[in-house]
Amino acid sequence: MPSGSPAPYFSSPGAALAGFGFGAVFQGALRAVVDSVPARDRGGTLASYYVLSYLAMSLPAIGAGALTAGFGLRAATLACAGGVAVLAAVAVATLTAPLRSRRRTPSPDAPSRPATSNHASTSPDTPTPDVSVLTTRNR
C-alpha cells in the first residue's frame, strides 16, 4: 500500500461492493439450502455448509501461498487467474447446457403438427394430439 495505511483499501468502493456481493450470495445460497431441507436435518446441513464454505475459501488461498513460495508471485498469479478462468468457463457451460438442449430437442408435449390440423396420425405409435381443450369455449 503506497500510503502505509490500510484505511484507503478498506474504504474503497470496490471493497464495499465486493463485500456486499459476497454477503448477498452467501446468504442467498444458505437460504436456498436451508429451505430445501426438513427441519430435523437443518443442523447437520448447516454444519456441512459452513465446513465446505470455509474449505472452498481457504484451500485456494493456501494453494496460492504455496505457489508463491515455490514459483514466485507472478507465476502464482497467472496460475490462479488461469484456474479461475477455467472454472468460470466450466460453470458457464454447465449452466447453459440445459438451455441449449431445450432449443435443439422439441418438448415431448409439443404436437408434431399444428393443433388445428385435421390429419390423422401417420404412425400407429404416435398419438393424435387432443385439440378438444383448444376448441371448447367457456360458457
Side-chain angles (χ1 to χ4, degrees):
M1 286 172 252
S3 68
S5 171
Y9 172 74
F10 288 115
S11 63
S12 72
L17 183 63
F20 178 76
F22 181 82
V25 168
F26 194 83
Q27 180 184 10
L30 182 61
R31 183 170 298 194
V33 168
V34 169
D35 287 348
S36 66
V37 175
R40 62 182 161 78
D41 296 332
R42 286 191 181 153
T45 302
L46 282 173
S48 299
Y49 180 84
Y50 278 110
V51 167
L52 290 174
S53 295
Y54 286 120
L55 282 174
M57 289 182 271
S58 64
L59 290 180
I62 293 169
L67 281 173
T68 301
F71 299 101
L73 183 59
R74 180 174 171 79
T77 303
L78 291 174
C80 289
V84 168
V86 167
L87 290 174
V90 169
V92 167
T94 303
L95 293 173
T96 59
L99 298 175
R100 285 180 284 164
S101 67
R102 276 191 225 144
R103 288 185 200 142
R104 283 188 230 150
T105 57
S107 170
D109 297 334
S112 59
R113 296 192 176 119
T116 58
S117 174
N118 292 328
H119 298 288
S121 177
T122 58
S123 169
D125 297 334
T126 307
T128 305
D130 182 19
V131 293
S132 63
V133 176
L134 300 174
T135 58
T136 57
R137 295 182 188 203
N138 293 334
R139 294 176 192 207

